[in-house]
Amino acid sequence: MEPLPQGIDCQRCHGPGRRHVQLAQTAGSTPATLRAAIVNPARLSPERREEVCIQCHLESTSFPLPNSLQRYGQGPFAYRPGLPLSDYWLFFDHAPAANRTGKFELVNAVYRIRQSKCYLANPTALGCTTCHSPHDVPRAEAATRHYDAACRTCHTAAFNQLIASGRHTATPGCAECHMPKRRTEDVVHAVVTDHLIQRLPPPGDLAAPLPERHESGDQAYRGQVALYYPEKLRQSLDNDLYLALAQVIDKSNLSAGIPQLAVALSRQQRTPPAQPRVEFTLALAEAWHNAGSPEKALPLYRDAAARSPRSVFALQKLATALRDAGQPAQAITILQQAAALNPNDPTTWHELGLARRAQGNPAAAIAALQKAIALDPNLPEPHSNLGIVHLSSGDNTAAEAAFREAIRIQPSYADAHNNLANLLSSKGDFPQARLHFETAIRLNPADARTRYNFAMALGRARDFNEAQRQLEAALQSDPALAEARLILAQILLAKGDTPAAIAHLQKAAAAQDPGVRKAAADLLRELGVGR
């Protein structure tokens, strides 16, 4: 793996510098030779010059979309100044119909400046270095003078006329009004400069506190993912794949993206000698899985693993699909191959623990999960799943310790809070169980199973009104959760609301679970209602 840079150095903007340094230390090197051996962004075309800044400062959104895709085969720091950025990265945005162009987020500087009338009037004249020197950051009064001077390179005449007519103050500080500081929507504790140059600042207190926003589940964006930068791509089979990939990678546009990606893959497969990279096949498999069609995903996982038999990632994905398909023995065989390729990969051992658990071998599952934890103690998932295996084996003390460790590592781990809450509820510690149930629901409001578990604990605590609210919320998230309908019907019957109870029982009586189906049918018979 490519090592991470130790900060932002000269080469981030000027490209590889070794040859430049060698020539500088060589007698007889001319200034022209030295200049030719290094990239000076000032001598690049406006487009290439801006891309030096765009590589770090363009993000259409930090919420799931995706906002950018790195081309496969290119490392995260492979881009070299002076080369087209689109050879390394592609950037995406919400579709225009989503009306989200007004979003203001932390890394929005390039995104917002490109919406400004100043920029749209002449993109080649206004760029990042019009206002910013990468080698110096002025502060306080020096900053005000510097940025005012940048504005007046274009607006001096109009500005002087406005002052003379009394329509504008002569007070310095253009940016305070026309690029005000605002609180960002994604990092709600940060206040930064809005790079949208505007005639008047937006109304209201721009630094006022904002509530945290989560875009997942029902709140997640579901719509077309539009190419943002570059504005156009030359038509090619490879680019078609990336445009389709953007639709499915964060589940934004699965219904249109899956057939689009499937067609793009098929076209490239029919164009010898080209063979699409295996990552695209894996992405299509993931898309089918996320769309609720695992039977269509599994053959693609098999194909990807067959084409890349030494890819631990591909083997892990295939093994997970096999486990989910009820084939743990085959999953274990695949994971053993992955472990032989890289015995120090904690994810492989974690997946092996899950497969062993699915196979009904808790001792082997515990051993594999403990191996994953030994390799990387800071992964929360192996701890939580280790707790589940301990719990199923009757070791509540070890289970509680494992759940608490998962939460210590990742306090926002909703599933671990739910698991711990269930355990505490079974021990009779309802106050602490309630605390963790409520935390899990706050972190993942759409999790129907957590709400169902909370309702059961509330029922044991005789809080039937809140149990009813949790069951109703669970069914709103997952109408197919038949056991929630059965319990809700029983609460409604106890409250005397027989018609509402019957409606739920009739749906529960058609459930796949035979136990739920029988219990609902028995209650309906007691009520004298035929199915």
Side-chain angles (χ1 to χ4, degrees):
M1 179 175 289
E2 188 176 346
L4 289 173
Q6 301 297 309
I8 305 302
D9 64 2
C10 304
Q11 296 178 103
R12 191 72 166 166
C13 300
H14 294 281
R18 178 177 297 175
R19 178 63 177 159
H20 178 72
V21 172
Q22 289 173 340
L23 287 171
Q25 296 171 339
T26 302
S29 296
T30 65
T33 304
L34 287 172
R35 283 195 295 269
I38 196 76
V39 173
N40 182 350
R43 294 198 294 268
L44 296 174
S45 69
E47 182 181 14
R48 296 286 91 84
R49 182 171 63 247
E50 288 301 287
E51 288 177 346
V52 175
C53 303
I54 284 173
Q55 63 170 316
C56 294
H57 295 279
L58 173 57
E59 185 177 83
S60 64
T61 182
S62 66
F63 293 102
L65 187 62
N67 74 80
S68 64
L69 290 178
Q70 176 187 318
R71 288 188 184 267
Y72 294 127
Q74 301 287 4
F77 304 102
Y79 165 70
R80 295 291 181 261
L83 298 177
L85 183 60
S86 60
D87 288 351
Y88 302 85
W89 291 90
L90 300 174
F91 298 83
F92 299 90
D93 194 10
H94 298 95
N99 295 319
R100 294 203 183 195
T101 54
K103 53 186 175 279
F104 180 64
E105 300 180 18
L106 189 64
V107 193
N108 262 175
V110 171
Y111 184 77
R112 296 287 281 177
I113 195 79
R114 287 167 58 88
Q115 296 175 14
S116 304
K117 287 185 177 180
C118 293
Y119 175 86
L120 296 171
N122 192 347
T124 62
L126 177 61
C128 300
T129 54
T130 302
C131 301
H132 297 285
S133 167
H135 303 120
D136 178 48
V137 180
R139 304 293 183 188
E141 292 182 5
T144 300
R145 291 193 299 270
H146 174 82
Y147 297 125
D148 282 359
C151 293
R152 292 177 190 180
T153 56
C154 293
H155 297 288
T156 296
F159 181 66
N160 289 339
Q161 288 177 2
L162 288 170
I163 292 175
S165 65
R167 296 164 57 199
H168 199 291
T169 177
T171 305
C174 303
E176 290 182 19
C177 287
H178 301 289
M179 299 175 69
K181 292 186 181 296
R182 296 178 57 184
R183 191 171 295 275
T184 62
E185 299 169 14
D186 54 342
V187 183
V188 295
H189 302 294
V191 176
V192 299
T193 298
D194 184 357
H195 279 65
L196 174 64
I197 305 169
Q198 47 207 305
R199 184 170 177 268
L200 295 172
D205 183 0
L206 301 181
L210 293 174
E212 287 192 15
R213 202 173 95 214
H214 302 279
E215 290 203 5
S216 60
D218 293 340
Q219 289 76 44
Y221 174 74
R222 293 293 177 258
Q224 181 192 5
V225 179
L227 180 67
Y228 178 77
Y229 189 89
E231 295 179 9
K232 292 183 179 180
L233 281 174
R234 64 180 179 82
Q235 195 165 12
S236 71
L237 294 175
D238 197 47
N239 285 336
D240 288 346
L241 285 167
Y242 282 103
L243 294 174
L245 180 65
Q247 310 305 312
V248 304
I249 205 75
D250 276 338
K251 301 184 280 189
S252 293
N253 193 19
L254 288 175
S255 58
I258 286 175
Q260 186 179 339
L261 182 55
V263 167
L265 272 168
S266 177
R267 284 175 180 163
Q268 194 165 76
Q269 287 165 344
R270 296 196 307 268
T271 309
Q275 174 72 347
R277 293 182 63 98
V278 72
E279 292 92 340
F280 292 110
T281 302
L282 282 170
L284 182 57
E286 286 286 279
W288 277 121
H289 173 80
N290 291 330
S293 297
E295 73 285 354
K296 295 181 179 178
L298 184 54
L300 293 163
Y301 285 124
R302 288 189 187 278
D303 176 50
R307 288 169 50 203
S308 297
R310 298 190 63 80
S311 168
V312 171
F313 181 75
L315 293 172
Q316 289 170 350
K317 287 294 184 181
L318 172 57
T320 301
L322 288 167
R323 171 171 56 82
D324 291 346
Q327 303 175 47
Q330 290 189 41
I332 290 167
T333 300
I334 297 297
L335 289 166
Q336 288 170 337
Q337 295 174 25
L341 290 168
N342 184 359
N344 296 320
D345 183 356
T347 301
T348 296
W349 290 99
H350 176 231
E351 290 295 326
L352 189 55
L354 296 179
R356 290 292 191 189
R357 174 187 165 217
Q359 193 185 36
N361 190 341
I366 289 171
L369 291 167
Q370 288 175 334
K371 174 75 171 178
I373 290 168
L375 289 168
D376 189 346
N378 293 318
L379 284 177
E381 291 86 356
H383 289 284
S384 185
N385 285 308
L386 179 62
I388 291 172
V389 180
H390 279 312
L391 192 61
S392 65
S393 301
D395 191 344
N396 287 3
T397 301
E400 182 174 344
F403 293 144
R404 290 192 183 279
E405 181 62 9
I407 292 168
R408 185 195 67 79
I409 295 167
Q410 185 178 321
S412 62
Y413 193 175
D415 285 349
H417 282 286
N418 176 43
N419 292 332
L420 178 58
N422 279 324
L423 188 154
L424 292 170
S425 177
S426 70
K427 290 170 57 177
D429 188 353
F430 179 70
Q432 282 296 308
R434 181 171 195 147
L435 173 67
H436 287 283
F437 274 130
E438 289 175 344
T439 301
I441 289 169
R442 176 176 56 80
L443 292 167
N444 189 2
D447 189 338
R449 180 57 61 178
T450 296
R451 289 188 181 275
Y452 171 76
N453 293 338
F454 187 24
M456 298 298 289
L458 287 161
R460 289 190 290 270
R462 317 301 291 176
D463 188 347
F464 297 112
N465 289 332
E466 182 60 25
Q468 178 179 341
R469 283 192 287 271
Q470 292 299 328
L471 289 167
E472 288 169 345
L475 288 169
Q476 188 174 2
S477 294
D478 183 5
L481 191 59
E483 52 264 57
R485 291 197 183 278
L486 179 62
I487 302 301
L488 178 57
Q490 292 170 342
I491 292 175
L492 291 168
L493 284 172
K495 289 186 171 185
D497 191 350
T498 304
I502 289 173
H504 286 291
L505 288 171
Q506 287 174 329
K507 290 182 179 179
Q512 291 184 349
D513 186 316
V516 172
R517 201 164 56 235
K518 181 179 183 304
D522 289 346
L523 279 172
L524 285 169
R525 275 193 297 272
E526 290 178 19
L527 294 169
V529 178
R531 287 185 57 188

